Amino acid sequence: MIQSKEILEILPLVILAFSATIILMLEVFIKKSETVIFGFSLASVTAAIVTSFLYLNREMILFNKYLKITNSAVAFSVIILAGILITIIASKNYIEKEKINFGEYYSLLLFSVMGMFLMIYANDILVIFIGLELMSICFYVLAGFLRLRQKSNESALKYFLLGAFMTGFILYGIALIYGITGTTNLSLIYANPKIFTNYVFIIGTGLFFIGFMFKIGVFPFQMWIPDVYEGAPTIVSGMLSTAGKIAAVGTILPIILSLNILNFRIIFSIAAVATMMYGNVIALAQTNIKRLLAYSSIASAGYIFVGIAAMNEFALQGIAYYLIAYTFMQLGAFIVVSLLEKKDDGSREYKNVDLDYYKGLGKRNPVIALFMTLFLFSLAGIPPFAGFWGKYYLFYAAIQSNLIWLSVVGIMLSLVGVYYYLKIIVYMWFTDSDEYLIGEEVSNSGLGITATGLAVLGTIVFGVDPNIFFRIFKFIIV
Amino acid sequence: MANILSILIFVPFILSLPLIFFRKEKETLIKVYSFIISLIPFAISVYLFFAFNPASGDYQFVEKFKWIQIINTQYFLGIDGISMLLIVMSTFMFPLAIMASWTSVTKNHKGFYFLLLVLDAGLIGVFASLDLILFYIFWEIILIPMYFIIGIWGSEDRIYATVKFFLYTMFGSLLMLIGIIWLGFVCIPFTGGQFTTDITQLTEIAYRIPVDKQIYLFILFTLSFLIKVPLFPFHTWLPDAHVQAPTAGSVILAAVLLKMGTYGLIRFSLTLFPAAFVKLTPYISVLAVIGIVYGALLSIVQTDVKKLVAYSSVSHLGFIVLGTFALTDIAMQGSVIQMINHGLSTGALFMIVGVLYERRHTKAIAEFGGIMKIMPVFSVIFMIVVLSSIGLPGLNGFVGEFLILLGSFYSTNLGSNIYTIISTTAVILAAVYLLWMFQRVMLGPVENEKNKNLKDLSGREIASFIPLLVFIVWIGVHPNTFLSKTESSVKKIIDNFHSNSKKLGLEKELEMKLSEKK
């Protein structure tokens, strides 16, 4: 039975749904609504973060067993919200610059977060599916939000077609799982471990995972990532690569751990190695910074899969930590790119996203270059930044499961990654600007710098005191 | 002063932060400020030197706090004689490095001195950490300032050199990271079920790890140290980095950064994995001997003064590695004192190269000749430093090399004195390349017009050499001041090794090696 007071147990979801709807109306009723909408969405995300903490250490199953609140779900949702908060702060100036300052931008963002929440709070495969679709459809629209720009349209269309195709996989997987178990409820499926070895069930879950590997961008389902991230509005790319991935990881991780499919560890390990290799090696040849960050995000998906292959208790905490570090550094890097992007001048291409533009940035704009350097060092996994601990915990989990070979291969591939991160730093600090760039002003964006500053703060705080996270989310267990 | 080591680490870092707010134009103020700041850690480390109790081989000035409970990592600092000496040496080199870059650094002063002070803090951290994770963090932090120092203030090929330096070192340290985590897990059965990275605890139990795993772990750790040392064939990053780095960068790189590798060999490779250490001794000793001779031979043919000094480092560091692997009290004492000696002499040599380069903007030996007549004060200092690097009795180099050769001649671990005999040739080769270089640069007629108007050393430059010369003579005449500080620490490491290997039955293996020799 659904009780009406249960609505109080999912306040973040309710807040997001309501404010996303209200934003749509605000634009109709208030003239010059941009600032109001911005403030309103900021407030609602903050409220969602605060209310999320209410459900810490309160395991419960709600709404006729359709939703399940666990500590790990709360942790993942807070990480997502932190990312979205930074995204929103950075968005205002960016969408003004690109002349796409419409209210539905924020509304779509909040709806997509609602979808993510449904996914990670779900206790039923169909709810996961609904959440995934809600999230994905918002993403398709957001990717094509710069509708006058060819690249953006290309990005949205590619994402949509491939995404729709992959949705078919997930739905087919769900059908097979339902066919063999007679239920879509996850608790009931977990309660019947005999079924786990049934080959129909294995194929079903396999198809289901393939759909999510597509969303996370794991080899061989990663091909959409560079094109989509390159074409989407830069801030949106940052959001897709962080919040979107976290939601997908946060959904399948508890499932993988509960299904106890140690036999398939080798598949996850191979996927991890292939993904790290693909992402890191191809990134070496990139000349467009958005594509480079896209490949680096593929590599990151590979590191996350090292943790997933470990499949032990620590893996969950390690992955959660990696994701929070990843949110700050990856999103931060994308925001920096968005700050440097040239104002919309009716052109069909993004301007100033070539690596050449970053030559001599340290002299032209030392603060932004310094921020970018911190993000890149963190992405390269150098202490004392958060990215180091993220990688450390992931490899810790892998070694705990005795996957020494995977750790050695993985860490060597991350060395390849260090090379292209260093390349950007070399460009920024050690080389001189091309002449036409000297004296060029970067459009001043207070909010953008604030957002980057928040990301820098996160990267450093979580790097210097790796305890904070574990202190808040004690005992994250599935 | 219970947390004097923390103060020592964080003083240079925190006090370097105000540099950001200094006005760019006030260059002198920036230099003077950083110079004074760099003196503070030196003063503290001098206090440490005298407060240190040489009778005890244990870690002193220990600080221990829980840091990350979930992986049982501690903020754990402490020093024994070896690390104490290295800390004193690093804090000693920084004020000199700052003086040496007074006029040679011409752009972005704020950034340069800020990075130098961060480097100072990081290096102290490396030598003072007693937790592997903490050690690793400091080890990696050092890369960042050094990377920028070479990359921004270096000469023409600086980017290639600095990226090579960064990736090479990172390659080693990432493997070490895997080694650290794996070691923690492998030791769980011996600790009573707890993952730990506490060095003091691991030292007592790690020898019980099965030999095959010990060998893997030893390789993961040692590779990173050998790259840092650098031992042949991992040395190729060193000449590049040295030649491209600015003077202060070269001085710190040679004097302190390379010692991180040799320090790691003693502190980790030897104490944690005694069985693997014995098993792999022949391979590494061969590499060390090759490095000693090869580095010396390469030095002879160099046409660039700085490259010559860089290759001589490869040769000298080979001695230190050989002394470590000889595993006798005397040789290891020699290795430790040689780390200091090499820091002093090679640091001074790089400063000398810096003096020449600042005046002529070239490092090619052929460009010079007859400088002695033009710069008499300089030539005296140059001569003393060269002789110290060659190992002339009465100066510091002799003490270290002699102890190493003496200690390794009858070493049971090396098993043969052929290593020592071959290495001794490098002492002669050192005289060849250094004296020949000195002759070509300083003696003879002044042929190059440009050399005729060179100015002799300024007061500041002389002041930056004097402290080095004092210690070069001091260690040469009365090494006991320093040897006595490390004696019991070295003895403890060696004794610990022998007692552990007795438990493992390694002693038999050593005896067998000995009987084969006879």
Side-chain angles (χ1 to χ4, degrees):
Chain A
M1 276 299 289
I2 300 175
Q3 292 165 332
S4 54
K5 69 170 186 196
E6 276 177 335
I7 208 91
L8 290 175
E9 309 290 1
I10 51 158
L11 274 180
L13 238 145
V14 177
I15 291 172
L16 287 169
F18 265 98
S19 37
T21 322
I22 289 170
I23 286 170
L24 286 179
M25 291 188 278
L26 276 179
E27 204 170 27
V28 180
F29 293 116
I30 303 178
K31 274 179 198 164
K32 295 206 172 154
S33 54
E34 287 89 352
T35 319
V36 179
I37 291 175
F38 170 72
F40 185 73
S41 35
L42 258 190
S44 59
V45 170
T46 317
I49 293 181
V50 173
T51 47
S52 288
F53 280 102
L54 292 177
Y55 308 111
L56 263 184
N57 305 324
R58 282 179 58 195
E59 193 119 326
M60 47 196 169
I61 293 181
L62 303 165
F63 290 99
N64 231 347
K65 295 179 191 154
Y66 276 113
L67 294 184
K68 183 181 176 190
I69 303 217
T70 60
N71 260 356
S72 68
V74 174
F76 284 120
S77 59
V78 172
I79 301 173
I80 289 172
L81 284 172
I84 293 293
L85 189 74
I86 296 177
T87 309
I88 289 179
I89 298 175
S91 286
K92 186 166 188 291
N93 290 148
Y94 181 75
I95 55 179
E96 277 166 7
K97 185 160 83 175
E98 296 285 4
K99 298 178 189 142
I100 45 169
N101 195 359
F102 308 118
E104 59 264 36
Y105 175 86
Y106 297 104
S107 178
L108 283 166
L109 264 182
L110 294 186
F111 272 127
S112 77
V113 180
M114 196 190 149
M116 297 176 203
F117 274 40
L118 275 180
M119 280 160 76
I120 52 181
Y121 284 135
N123 193 33
D124 190 293
I125 316 183
L126 277 176
V127 179
I128 294 182
F129 182 75
I130 293 168
L132 183 74
E133 281 307 285
L134 181 54
M135 175 186 90
S136 301
I137 289 167
C138 294
F139 280 1
Y140 303 147
V141 182
L142 283 170
F145 212 75
L146 267 168
R147 59 176 198 272
L148 295 178
R149 202 167 282 182
Q150 214 170 18
K151 283 261 180 200
S152 187
N153 286 321
E154 179 197 330
S155 152
L157 203 61
K158 272 188 178 158
Y159 195 13
F160 172 66
L161 288 176
L162 287 169
F165 182 56
M166 283 297 160
T167 306
F169 277 71
I170 294 183
L171 213 50
Y172 191 36
I174 293 177
L176 288 179
I177 295 172
Y178 179 70
I180 197 74
T181 60
T183 177
T184 54
N185 188 296
L186 282 171
S187 313
L188 291 177
I189 294 173
Y190 297 153
N192 188 6
K194 266 183 250 162
I195 208 86
F196 294 173
T197 49
N198 183 305
Y199 71 96
V200 179
F201 182 81
I202 292 173
I203 294 173
T205 35
L207 289 169
F208 184 74
F209 285 154
I210 283 176
F212 277 91
M213 281 160 89
F214 169 81
K215 292 286 170 202
I216 302 170
V218 175
F219 190 86
F221 309 105
Q222 83 302 336
M223 57 291 178
W224 60 280
I225 287 195
D227 288 339
V228 171
Y229 288 6
E230 186 197 356
T234 312
I235 296 269
V236 174
S237 308
M239 197 273 295
L240 292 181
S241 73
T242 52
K245 277 191 186 186
I246 296 167
V249 173
T251 313
I252 58 162
L253 191 56
I255 299 179
I256 290 174
L257 291 176
S258 309
L259 285 181
N260 200 13
I261 41 176
L262 286 177
N263 296 341
F264 293 95
R265 177 181 274 168
I266 187 71
I267 295 177
F268 288 101
S269 310
I270 291 170
V273 170
T275 313
M276 287 185 287
M277 195 179 291
Y278 183 89
N280 280 325
V281 172
I282 310 264
L284 292 175
Q286 298 309 313
T287 55
N288 177 312
I289 189 141
K290 283 170 83 175
R291 284 187 86 85
L292 188 141
L293 287 174
Y295 281 106
S296 117
S297 93
I298 295 176
S300 302
Y303 304 134
I304 294 169
F305 257 60
V306 170
I308 291 184
M311 289 189 206
N312 52 32
E313 254 177 55
F314 195 86
L316 185 64
Q317 310 176 10
I319 290 173
Y321 202 93
Y322 184 78
L323 288 175
I324 192 148
Y326 175 73
T327 306
F328 287 123
M329 58 203 187
Q330 180 85 1
L331 190 57
F334 267 114
I335 294 174
V336 167
V337 175
S338 82
L339 286 175
L340 296 173
E341 222 176 282
K342 209 173 184 180
K343 241 183 187 159
D344 178 52
D345 51 1
S347 114
R348 297 179 150 199
E349 297 282 332
Y350 290 92
K351 289 269 175 68
N352 295 351
V353 290
D354 289 329
L355 275 186
D356 282 342
Y357 178 77
Y358 286 77
K359 280 185 180 163
L361 188 70
K363 282 196 199 97
R364 278 179 290 148
N365 203 329
V367 175
I368 289 185
L370 181 68
F371 284 174
M372 189 67 170
T373 310
L374 293 181
F375 295 137
L376 292 171
F377 273 133
S378 180
L379 280 165
I382 291 166
F385 303 112
F388 163 72
W389 292 106
K391 270 187 198 157
Y392 176 80
Y393 290 138
L394 287 179
F395 287 111
Y396 182 95
I399 293 175
Q400 191 169 28
S401 295
N402 228 349
L403 291 167
I404 313 286
W405 70 273
L406 182 61
S407 327
V408 172
V409 171
I411 209 111
M412 283 299 107
L413 287 169
S414 87
L415 181 71
V416 179
V418 174
Y419 178 77
Y420 58 80
Y421 296 128
L422 280 192
K423 190 162 87 177
I424 306 177
I425 298 175
V426 163
Y427 275 13
M428 289 195 298
W429 296 100
F430 303 164
T431 52
D432 292 323
S433 313
D434 290 335
E435 274 190 10
Y436 71 96
L437 288 172
I438 293 173
E440 196 206 60
E441 286 286 309
V442 172
S443 54
N444 246 334
S445 159
L447 285 169
I449 296 277
T450 314
T452 330
L454 282 177
V456 166
L457 197 69
T459 316
I460 293 177
V461 166
F462 282 91
V464 174
D465 189 358
N467 247 341
I468 298 181
F469 182 75
F470 298 119
R471 223 178 285 139
I472 302 171
F473 300 102
K474 275 175 219 150
F475 325 110
I476 352 174
I477 304 163
V478 185
Chain B
M1 294 245 266
N3 38 18
I4 188 160
L5 286 176
S6 294
I7 296 172
L8 187 57
I9 294 172
F10 288 104
V11 153
F13 176 68
I14 290 169
L15 290 182
S16 69
L17 291 175
L19 275 176
I20 298 166
F21 304 106
F22 280 36
R23 292 250 311 277
K24 224 189 230 168
E25 301 77 41
K26 305 217 163 181
E27 289 169 10
T28 323
L29 185 68
I30 293 170
K31 289 179 211 166
V32 171
Y33 179 79
S34 356
F35 179 69
I36 293 170
I37 297 306
S38 72
L39 284 177
I40 298 174
F42 177 58
I44 300 177
S45 63
V46 169
Y47 166 78
L48 277 184
F49 183 84
F50 289 109
F52 184 84
N53 173 13
S56 151
D58 292 326
Y59 294 107
Q60 301 178 23
F61 308 103
V62 170
E63 291 171 43
K64 199 171 183 176
F65 304 104
K66 285 218 158 82
W67 186 24
I68 311 166
Q69 280 92 341
I70 194 160
I71 49 168
N72 194 20
T73 294
Q74 297 154 326
Y75 176 82
F76 188 11
L77 302 175
I79 50 173
D80 67 353
I82 301 171
S83 33
M84 188 270 296
L85 265 196
L86 286 167
I87 286 175
V88 175
M89 203 243 312
S90 18
T91 53
F92 171 69
M93 292 312 290
F94 274 90
L96 303 182
I98 288 176
M99 275 162 98
S101 33
W102 209 265
T103 47
S104 59
V105 170
T106 49
K107 58 174 180 184
N108 199 351
H109 295 77
K110 259 164 51 169
F112 184 80
Y113 294 106
F114 174 73
L115 290 171
L116 262 188
L117 290 171
V118 172
L119 192 59
D120 195 359
L123 283 167
I124 300 166
V126 165
F127 296 127
S129 318
L130 287 182
D131 186 286
L132 281 168
I133 297 297
L134 193 64
F135 170 79
Y136 180 82
I137 288 173
F138 283 120
W139 175 279
E140 288 280 87
I141 283 178
I142 284 164
L143 281 180
I144 300 175
M146 204 62 206
Y147 170 70
F148 282 110
I149 286 176
I150 301 176
I152 297 180
W153 293 274
S155 36
E156 307 80 41
D157 280 333
R158 59 188 194 277
I159 294 174
Y160 170 76
T162 195
V163 171
K164 191 172 177 181
F165 158 74
F166 197 102
L167 290 178
Y168 229 121
T169 322
M170 191 90 185
F171 168 76
S173 43
L174 285 175
L175 288 179
M176 177 164 72
L177 181 64
I178 297 293
I180 291 172
I181 306 174
W182 195 16
L183 173 67
F185 280 115
V186 171
C187 283
I188 283 184
F190 313 128
T191 56
Q194 226 183 3
F195 177 91
T196 182
T197 45
D198 178 334
I199 291 169
T200 51
Q201 204 181 344
L202 286 171
T203 312
E204 280 161 27
I205 52 173
Y207 72 93
R208 289 159 70 182
I209 301 170
V211 178
D212 54 331
K213 267 188 191 160
Q214 251 189 57
I215 289 178
Y216 289 127
L217 283 166
F218 179 84
I219 292 171
L220 287 174
F221 272 82
T222 309
L223 196 60
S224 136
F225 301 138
L226 294 186
I227 289 172
K228 200 85 176 184
V229 167
L231 196 70
F232 175 87
F234 312 110
H235 66 281
T236 55
W237 64 268
L238 183 77
D240 287 320
H242 265 318
V243 171
Q244 303 303 333
T247 304
S250 296
V251 171
I252 299 299
L253 189 61
V256 198
L257 254 73
L258 305 187
K259 306 308 175 312
M260 288 159 60
T262 47
Y263 170 76
L265 285 177
I266 296 179
R267 175 74 73 239
F268 305 106
S269 302
L270 168 60
T271 44
L272 295 180
F273 318 111
F277 192 86
V278 172
K279 279 239 154 67
L280 293 176
T281 295
Y283 306 102
I284 294 175
S285 318
V286 166
L287 289 180
V289 172
I290 294 177
I292 291 172
V293 178
Y294 177 74
L297 289 175
L298 276 179
S299 291
I300 296 179
V301 296
Q302 293 309 316
T303 55
D304 180 306
V305 195
K306 213 169 184 185
K307 232 174 187 164
L308 187 147
V309 180
Y311 277 113
S312 83
S313 275
V314 177
S315 176
H316 282 126
L317 267 293
F319 276 107
I320 301 178
V321 174
L322 187 71
T324 309
F325 278 79
L327 259 184
T328 57
D329 290 12
I330 299 175
M332 189 162 294
Q333 279 273 51
S335 286
V336 174
I337 201 77
Q338 187 65 3
M339 289 187 210
I340 310 296
N341 292 338
H342 177 262
L344 297 173
S345 337
T346 310
L349 277 176
F350 277 118
M351 279 161 67
I352 284 168
V353 177
V355 168
L356 288 174
Y357 182 76
E358 212 183 317
R359 285 171 172 66
R360 279 293 320 279
H361 292 279
T362 174
K363 291 170 288 201
I365 296 176
E367 288 282 321
F368 299 99
I371 308 287
M372 186 177 241
K373 288 164 202 140
I374 307 158
M375 301 169 71
V377 179
F378 176 65
S379 65
V380 172
I381 293 172
F382 197 170
M383 192 70 220
I384 298 174
V385 172
V386 160
L387 291 176
S388 125
S389 190
I390 292 171
L392 185 82
L395 297 177
N396 63 347
F398 174 74
V399 178
E401 273 174 11
F402 183 71
L403 285 176
I404 290 173
L405 294 174
L406 185 71
S408 58
F409 196 77
Y410 283 118
S411 154
T412 47
N413 189 40
L414 290 176
S416 158
N417 46 25
I418 191 80
Y419 298 107
T420 318
I421 294 168
I422 297 175
S423 308
T424 314
T425 58
V427 180
I428 304 159
L429 291 176
V432 174
Y433 59 77
L434 281 168
L435 286 179
W436 192 34
M437 183 265 282
F438 185 80
Q439 180 200 339
R440 282 178 292 169
V441 173
M442 304 301 285
L443 306 179
V446 188
E447 276 164 359
N448 198 327
E449 277 298 315
K450 289 181 198 158
N451 288 338
K452 288 205 167 133
N453 299 322
L454 294 185
K455 276 194 185 124
D456 205 347
L457 295 185
S458 68
R460 171 190 52 83
E461 282 166 330
I462 295 175
S464 68
F465 282 111
I466 293 289
L468 286 169
L469 295 183
V470 167
F471 282 99
I472 283 175
V473 177
W474 188 340
I475 297 179
V477 176
H478 191 72
N480 243 6
T481 323
F482 305 94
L483 286 176
S484 63
K485 294 279 179 187
T486 57
E487 201 177 349
S488 38
S489 304
V490 167
K491 204 164 174 324
K492 194 182 172 211
I493 289 175
I494 301 273
D495 287 349
N496 190 38
F497 171 83
H498 284 299
S499 73
N500 284 346
S501 46
K502 225 172 237 159
K503 289 175 207 155
L504 284 171
L506 278 177
E507 214 70 340
K508 271 181 202 156
E509 204 166 312
L510 284 175
E511 275 163 23
M512 266 167 59
K513 272 188 186 176
L514 199 64
S515 60
E516 274 169 27
K517 202 182 78 178
K518 280 173 186 167

